[in-house]
Amino acid sequence: MVDAAVASLKSGDLGAVLVVAEAGAGKADVADAIAGALEVEYAVVRLQASHALKGVRHGALLSILDSLEPADFALPHGAANGSTANGRALAAGPDRGMAGHVAVLRSLWTMVDTKARDAGRPVLIVAEDMHHADEGTASVLAEAVSSRWVKLVATARLRPGMPPGLLELWHDGLGERLELGPMDLAGSHAMAEAQLGGAVCRAAAAALHHVSGGSPERLPLVIGEALGKGALVARRGIWVLASDFVSSGAALEQHVRADLDTLSPAQRSGLALIAHAQPLQEQSARALIPEHVLIELGERGWLTDREDGFVRIRSALVADAIRLLISIPRKLQIHQKLESLGEPWGPDRPNALGRIALALDVGAEVSDVQLAAGAELAVRQSQNALALHCIRLIADEGLRSRLRGTRARALFNRSDYSACLTSLLSGPRRKSDADDLLVGTLLLSHVRSVLGQAHANTGDADQLAALARELPADFPADRADGPRHAVERRARLLKSMALAYAGDFHRALHADPVQGRPGDGAGEPAVERAIWSLMRAEADIVGGRFEGAMRSAGAVLGRPVEDDEHYPLEGHALMRYLVAAIHVGSWEAVDSAVEAYGSGRTWPIVVCGPALYSAQAYALVRQERVDEALQVLPEIIECLRVGDPYKLLGLALALAAYAAAAAGQTEEARTWLDEAEAAANVGRALTGWLARLHRIAAEVRLGVPDAAGRLVEFIETLRQDGHVGIEMAARSVALELDLEAGHGPDPLEAAELAPACEGRWTAAMGAWAGAIVSGKPEDLMQAGELLRALGILGRARRAFARAAAAFDEAGDRANARLAGQAARRCEAPGSPAPADDPGEAVLASFQLTPREQDIVGLALDGLSDRQIAEKLHLSVRTVEGHLHRSYAKLGVASRAELAAAVED
């Protein structure tokens, strides 16, 4: 954008570049960059319009036109004598407008001419904040540009925008308008790393980008706030978020205060009310704020468009800062105004949480029911401090007991897992109350596993079953939604969850003869049905039904379930979806999930971010793009050391060891491997199996004695246990290791197992295994095509190269040439084929020497052998020999076939 603007101004076609954007989007930086690129060829003059001088005609030019006298300026009609600007007294008069304009033009020309002569180059004016400029200033600058006196770079906010006089330059084709949007995630990431002077993990960058809105002006302030709160910390040279970071708006407080000073009292009052009540229904806003004030605030860019019938401040961070600046007495007035509307309060109202927060700020009475609803709303919106505050204020101890799951989830969101566990174990207060018995039982099972206490989950299930037996029997006895039935069903579910965690999926899915079956489960809460779906999805992954698992987990993600226990269902569904997608070979699904969650609320970014990027790194490893994976894995590992709610550290370390070994980084691989061994046997059985697979595979690549034998033993254990999907994944990894025949798993077994599994990846690896066994060029070509379609280019090249060798050995030089060309199209940096691969020598034999290339080129131009000989100063016999060798390499018999061969 900057380069294009500079080129336009240099060309002489344009006289002005008009840069418009929201506040904080970096308009000044762009203007500075343009000026910096032109300062060698232009003398730069700067001016800045201000709100204070907007009512003074030509007032923005005072700072650069020192030759003007006060009488040269004319005030708008009705202005009083004696007004000042930059310390100069300004005179008014009914007939001073035109004379003032001419005088200002003359003074500007004098300044430009003097500056240009002194500097020996033309003048470029950089005019900032022109949304504050008066019409006279805009008109003078426009005339100067139109007359070719100067070049102009002007900046203005998107609302109210560039003054009409300057916009006419754009309409007349004399100026170019650049509208800046916020930075994208990559821009915010780069800016954060520049400010912090080191690598910033992707999860932290995404959170900072979200909080700042991608604003170049606000991002440094947000980073400073995160540092001050201790939320942003450096770990082994990588900046990570140590906890969920929610800005209070304090970072913008001074900037917002300065902007508010440019508004009228009515406008400030309106913004204060909206900030505390947003989103405010448009009807309510009109009842409390004059319509002209709402219009003015919208034109000045403070408010979003009111297309959905609600009024909001454009930036949530700015709204936070405004709330910090409002005094308690003023907040009390706002609260009373909102109460005067008589709107019924309810947790389903869009501004319910803001209303509760305002009431608590001013000490207004809030009922226990409202506090409980507020706590639920707050924890769902990651406003954890507000949720905990609401719960502390509840007087009813029974209600507080039933909210211990909400309190626990708020603590979980803050990565305070020990306090989360303490909260869950503090009840139930009334063991005769089924609802109280059920509170937090699902979240408890997850927190136990996070803290390494997964072994206690079975005991928790047994204890809940015992408590269920003490409840009165349901009436009638077969009542599906009865209290006792609900508690017993939950106990069985918890037992199944514990079995699934340990990898015993057969018992997990058959532990409850009634619940958890598709089509059954009358009266079963949605969260329980979703958990059963995820257990089946995990069993499907282990059983090789990868596409089915991906659909099941995706369905849970697509139907958000909100329950009173706040089980992290979204995260669990996401983990299974990503693992299934990787084994399907759907790399695009992994990237889409990363993109979707990377722009969401900060809690999913912080908690799910490491898991998302772990999946992305895993997908890169599966594509044999290990160099790229190694750019991601170190930062993921540091994030997981800080917080690992899904116990993925062991898998990430194993992947890092495997990728480093594959990339030839032996020392790094050994270091990662040692750490991976220390983190073994932690987490779910599924991730444990995948971690063990890659630890052993890393050892094979490092040449550890007996590692290949242990890989065979591990695969045999998986086969005996019936874990078809993990077995196929292990056999596929074994194929990647290129073990010599007899030193690893038999490729034929991988080829035979592949049809039992779903997905493109296993199909491609199965085809590759079958082609290795058969050695048939047709099989090798098919495997190469499947691998290339998956982006596994290094292995696809190897398949095509071996096909070329097989065709060549059979005397089919033409197909050998085609296979060789397919191989060369798959050349991928970072995935070189082994030098001793049987296909590489054949590929080399297809390469024409420089002399052969020259002669073939001339032959294609239509020159005869003799003409080629004369042109290259060679004998005719030498030319003929080169051509015949070229025919053999290209698999053709004559000149007539040469053109088609070269085109191929």
Side-chain angles (χ1 to χ4, degrees):
M1 179 181 292
V2 170
D3 292 341
V6 170
S8 297
L9 290 172
K10 282 184 175 181
S11 69
D13 296 334
L14 293 178
V17 172
L18 311 176
V19 184
V20 295
E22 299 286 359
K27 302 180 295 295
D29 292 337
V30 170
D32 288 344
I34 294 172
L38 292 171
E39 62 184 356
V40 175
E41 302 174 43
Y42 287 84
V44 178
V45 175
R46 294 180 177 272
L47 68 87
Q48 184 159 7
S50 69
H51 182 71
L53 290 175
K54 189 168 185 176
V56 178
R57 189 166 177 80
H58 307 121
L61 296 169
L62 273 174
S63 61
I64 64 170
L65 301 183
D66 293 333
S67 62
L68 284 176
E69 294 298 326
D72 292 324
F73 285 87
L75 295 180
H77 180 69
N81 291 326
S83 298
T84 63
N86 283 4
R88 301 181 185 182
L90 303 178
D95 58 351
R96 294 294 297 168
M98 184 58 66
H101 184 76
V102 172
V104 171
L105 271 175
R106 185 184 303 115
S107 179
L108 179 63
W109 164 249
T110 300
M111 184 276 293
V112 168
D113 183 59
T114 302
K115 187 79 172 179
R117 279 189 287 102
D118 292 346
R121 55 191 189 277
V123 171
L124 170 72
I125 294 179
V126 178
E128 295 188 38
D129 293 338
M130 291 304 287
H131 50 278
H132 289 317
D134 62 279
E135 293 180 7
T137 295
S139 176
V140 166
L141 291 176
E143 288 189 47
V145 172
S146 301
S147 302
R148 309 286 181 177
W149 297 354
V150 297
K151 296 289 179 110
L152 173 69
V153 176
T155 71
R157 288 188 183 177
L158 200 56
R159 296 176 181 82
M162 200 68 69
L166 295 181
L167 277 180
E168 288 177 7
L169 294 173
W170 177 42
H171 295 313
D172 294 341
L174 295 175
E176 181 176 358
R177 184 178 183 272
L178 302 180
E179 183 173 333
L180 305 182
M183 291 187 296
D184 60 11
L185 177 56
S188 292
H189 197 165
M191 187 173 183
E193 290 189 328
Q195 179 174 346
L196 292 167
V200 177
C201 77
R202 287 161 174 76
L208 294 169
H209 173 74
H210 170 73
V211 173
S212 68
S215 164
E217 180 182 61
R218 295 170 188 161
L219 179 60
L221 302 174
V222 168
I223 290 173
E225 184 180 1
L227 288 170
K229 290 183 174 180
L232 192 61
V233 297
R235 297 279 306 228
R236 303 191 191 190
I238 299 173
W239 289 94
V240 302
L241 280 176
S243 64
D244 181 27
F245 170 58
V246 180
S247 174
S248 64
L252 264 65
E253 189 172 351
Q254 292 187 1
H255 288 251
V256 171
R257 187 192 302 274
D259 285 342
L260 289 175
D261 286 344
T262 68
L263 302 180
S264 68
Q267 291 168 342
R268 290 196 295 272
S269 177
L271 279 177
L273 193 149
I274 295 167
H276 283 88
Q278 67 177 13
L280 187 60
Q281 283 189 328
E282 189 168 358
Q283 182 178 358
S284 299
R286 286 175 172 167
L288 299 173
I289 304 170
E291 178 65 20
H292 73 90
V293 172
L294 291 172
I295 293 173
E296 291 164 358
L297 291 173
E299 289 177 346
R300 299 193 61 163
W302 285 92
L303 306 180
T304 60
D305 296 330
R306 289 182 265 170
E307 294 177 355
D308 62 350
F310 288 93
V311 178
R312 298 178 181 85
I313 292 176
R314 185 170 297 276
S315 165
L317 200 58
V318 169
D320 291 339
I322 291 174
R323 287 193 289 271
L324 288 177
L325 293 169
I326 305 303
S327 66
I328 294 299
R330 179 73 184 108
K331 287 185 178 186
L332 181 58
Q333 293 175 356
I334 293 171
H335 173 70
Q336 292 169 343
K337 277 190 175 183
L338 292 170
E339 289 293 305
S340 70
L341 293 174
E343 294 179 348
W345 185 91
D348 57 333
R349 297 188 68 82
N351 64 351
L353 196 56
R355 295 286 298 275
I356 287 179
L358 177 60
L360 294 178
D361 278 351
V362 301
E365 182 178 350
V366 182
S367 70
D368 281 358
V369 173
Q370 289 176 318
L371 289 169
E376 294 281 350
L377 287 171
V379 81
R380 296 190 197 287
Q381 297 181 28
S382 300
Q383 296 191 35
N384 304 308
L386 178 57
L388 295 172
H389 183 50
C390 286
I391 293 171
R392 281 194 298 269
L393 295 176
I394 293 175
D396 186 326
E397 293 187 4
L399 183 55
R400 288 176 63 185
S401 178
R402 289 194 294 275
L403 284 169
R404 65 185 183 279
T406 306
R407 181 176 185 274
R409 182 54 189 266
L411 295 166
F412 177 86
N413 289 352
R414 301 169 88 170
S415 301
D416 192 348
Y417 305 126
S418 295
C420 176
L421 179 63
T422 300
S423 176
L424 292 170
L425 295 177
S426 64
R429 182 172 180 80
R430 290 195 292 257
K431 294 183 180 180
S432 60
D433 184 340
D435 290 337
D436 207 354
L437 285 176
L438 291 174
V439 166
T441 51
L442 294 174
L443 181 57
L444 175 62
S445 71
H446 179 68
V447 175
R448 290 278 202 200
S449 65
V450 174
L451 294 172
Q453 302 176 15
H455 59 276
N457 282 328
T458 300
D460 291 337
D462 291 339
Q463 183 181 13
L464 187 63
L467 291 171
R469 289 191 291 271
E470 297 178 9
L471 292 173
D474 294 330
F475 183 82
D478 60 350
R479 179 183 171 189
D481 60 346
R484 180 169 178 173
H485 182 80
V487 178
E488 290 173 340
R489 185 184 60 232
R490 177 63 57 81
R492 293 193 297 269
L493 174 59
L494 292 172
K495 182 69 69 73
S496 290
M497 292 169 67
L499 290 168
Y501 190 87
D504 192 346
F505 295 102
H506 178 77
R507 290 177 61 203
L509 294 175
H510 295 85
D512 189 335
V514 178
Q515 303 303 326
R517 307 279 78 77
D520 294 332
E524 193 175 27
V527 65
E528 292 188 5
R529 292 196 298 273
I531 290 173
W532 279 111
S533 292
L534 293 182
M535 279 196 287
R536 286 192 292 273
E538 193 169 8
D540 283 344
I541 292 171
V542 174
R545 297 176 294 277
F546 302 127
E547 292 176 347
M550 191 175 169
R551 286 192 297 271
S552 297
V556 173
L557 284 172
R559 295 192 300 271
V561 174
E562 291 189 357
D563 70 290
D564 293 340
E565 300 183 60
H566 300 286
Y567 178 74
L569 186 68
E570 182 182 43
H572 280 286
L574 189 60
M575 300 308 104
R576 289 157 179 80
Y577 177 81
L578 291 170
V579 172
I582 290 167
H583 288 88
V584 166
S586 182
W587 325 128
E588 62 277 6
V590 175
D591 290 339
S592 295
V594 171
E595 183 178 355
Y597 279 82
S599 58
R601 304 186 310 277
T602 58
W603 182 83
I605 294 171
V606 174
V607 178
C608 296
L612 288 165
Y613 300 121
S614 294
Q616 200 169 46
Y618 196 174
L620 291 171
V621 170
R622 288 282 64 83
Q623 297 170 76
E624 301 182 2
R625 295 159 59 185
V626 293
D627 290 340
E628 295 175 63
L630 287 170
Q631 295 175 11
V632 182
L633 282 163
E635 66 178 54
I636 292 169
I637 289 168
E638 293 312 316
C639 289
L640 292 172
R641 292 189 206 278
V642 173
D644 188 12
Y646 299 99
K647 311 312 290 180
L648 296 173
L649 178 60
L651 177 57
L653 288 164
L655 287 172
Y658 177 78
Q665 300 177 16
T666 303
E667 292 303 317
E668 291 86 346
R670 293 186 187 280
T671 300
W672 292 126
L673 188 57
D674 289 342
E675 294 191 55
E677 292 286 355
N681 303 318
V682 176
R684 304 189 72 82
L686 173 58
T687 53
W689 291 326
L690 295 173
R692 182 181 176 188
L693 166 61
H694 288 88
R695 289 199 307 273
I696 298 174
E699 291 178 337
V700 173
R701 287 196 180 277
L702 292 171
V704 175
D706 300 327
R710 282 187 286 108
L711 179 58
V712 173
E713 292 173 2
F714 178 52
I715 290 174
E716 178 59 21
T717 300
L718 294 169
R719 187 191 67 77
Q720 292 177 0
D721 291 340
H723 299 332
V724 176
I726 307 303
E727 180 190 352
M728 186 62 211
R731 292 188 182 279
S732 298
V733 171
L735 290 171
E736 295 173 0
L737 298 173
D738 296 309
L739 294 166
E740 294 181 16
H743 289 77
D746 187 349
L748 178 60
E749 294 177 347
E752 293 173 344
L753 183 63
C757 299
E758 297 173 345
R760 299 181 300 164
W761 182 60
T762 50
M765 298 306 290
W768 169 239
I772 291 173
V773 174
S774 75
K776 294 179 180 179
E778 296 82 3
D779 293 345
L780 289 162
M781 289 295 289
Q782 181 188 16
E785 292 294 349
L786 291 173
L787 290 163
R788 180 168 60 182
L790 276 172
I792 308 177
L793 299 181
R795 193 153 300 274
R797 172 189 167 86
R798 204 167 309 174
F800 288 131
R802 291 190 184 184
F807 279 125
D808 186 61
E809 185 177 354
D812 188 348
R813 194 68 176 176
N815 275 324
R817 172 177 51 80
L818 294 175
Q821 290 171 347
R824 284 191 289 275
R825 285 196 292 270
C826 293
E827 290 179 356
S831 299
D836 58 352
D837 191 279
E840 290 305 305
V842 175
L843 289 184
S845 74
F846 294 138
Q847 300 295 321
L848 301 180
T849 66
R851 176 61 77 188
E852 288 168 347
Q853 291 176 17
D854 291 340
I855 292 172
V856 168
L858 292 172
L860 290 173
D861 289 339
L863 275 67
S864 66
D865 293 356
R866 182 170 297 281
Q867 288 172 321
I868 293 172
E870 291 175 355
K871 187 174 184 65
L872 297 178
H873 306 290
L874 300 172
S875 68
V876 175
R877 185 181 297 275
T878 300
V879 172
E880 290 173 347
H882 280 303
L883 280 174
H884 282 295
R885 283 190 293 274
S886 298
Y887 295 163
K889 289 182 178 182
L890 296 173
V892 300
S894 65
R895 278 192 182 224
E897 301 174 18
L898 190 60
V902 172
E903 287 177 5
D904 289 339

